[in-house]
Amino acid sequence: MEYRPTRRSTLLLGLGLAAVPATALVTRYASSADAAVQAVNLDDPAKKEIAMKVVCSAENSSLNWKNYYKYIEDIDDGRGYTAGIIGFCSGTHDMLELVELYSQRKAGNILQKYLPALREVDGSDSHEGLDPNYTRDWATAAKDTVFQQCQNDERDRVYFRPAVSQGKSDGVRALGQFAYYDAIVMHGDGGDSTSFRNIRKRALGKAKPPAQGGNETTWLNAFLDARVWAMKQEEAHSDTSRVDTAQRVWLRNGNLDLNTPLDWKVYGDSYHIG
């Protein structure tokens, strides 16, 4: 799959990054017994909820990710309509797969009639066969819990589970698994140079993950360096604050288990999870 867009990126070009104070000690999280107890993977339900909120802060300037099943718009990034909780796109195949799954689970649903058009526009930014009512019908479908569950399941199948699985294989903890997830959400895992797998490959030229005998912090810094490089290859992704004032801050603080409380900034906006 081709790399993913962000919803806000096209609206926020040129914003300066907020300065990040480096006042927290590395031992703030890593040295406590409580942190050891909380050292669980990102697919732990509580950790997964954190991941959903943090990604939503970057994608929608909100922590309320469940409010975005109904979201749909064309952000003029060449990928047609971007919609739902993770930015399924009519031009990048994942929206088609989502509506196909919805139609398997609920025949005759309000979006099923758009399947021929979605197949035609796949790989392009065209709205042919979708306008004028597709956005309205998407919003109607989003009230259906069956469609909401389809969005959850496709998010997990295409983005979340592959990221967590690779993170476990590399021997990184919840923060590293989240860094992988955020990268695959934005960039996808196709064959282009900025895809998740090639971001990881680029990082491997600089460091080794823990599973290969490397230091976890060193590896994640190398991965985030490669991620920033990938983001800067496209103007729409050139604001790298979702790395610089979020993931990199937690890494510098030694919060490899992504334990709360969490404070971060994206596009200059501040967020907190207690």
Side-chain angles (χ1 to χ4, degrees), residues 42 46 94 157 207 261 267:
L42 198 67
D94 55 351
R157 181 183 71 84
Y267 308 127

Side-chain angles (χ1 to χ4, degrees), residues 3-6 9 13 17 58-59 79 179 182-187 192-196 198-199 202 223-248 266-267:
Y3 71 87
R4 306 291 302 137
T6 57
S9 55
L13 300 181
L17 298 180
E59 296 287 317
R79 297 170 181 85
D182 191 61
I184 200 171
V185 165
M186 176 180 281
H187 303 281
D192 58 288
S193 63
T194 58
S195 69
F196 168 70
N198 285 312
I199 292 171
R202 188 178 184 88
F223 179 83
L224 293 178
D225 287 345
R227 168 78 190 284
V228 167
W229 173 86
M231 292 174 73
K232 289 183 176 179
Q233 300 313 297
E234 186 181 24
E235 187 178 10
H237 293 155
S238 60
D239 185 324
T240 58
S241 59
R242 66 197 290 161
V243 172
D244 300 330
T245 52
Q247 297 169 49
R248 192 85 77 175
V266 182
Y267 308 127

Side-chain angles (χ1 to χ4, degrees), residues 99 102-113 115 144:
V99 177
Y102 185 31
S103 298
Q104 291 169 12
R105 294 183 178 178
K106 189 170 185 177
N109 70 74
I110 196 170
L111 297 181
Q112 186 168 346
K113 61 181 176 287
L115 282 173
D144 183 358

Side-chain angles (χ1 to χ4, degrees), residues 8-24:
R8 285 198 63 191
S9 55
T10 55
L11 303 176
L12 293 159
L13 300 181
L15 286 180
L17 298 180
V20 183
T23 55

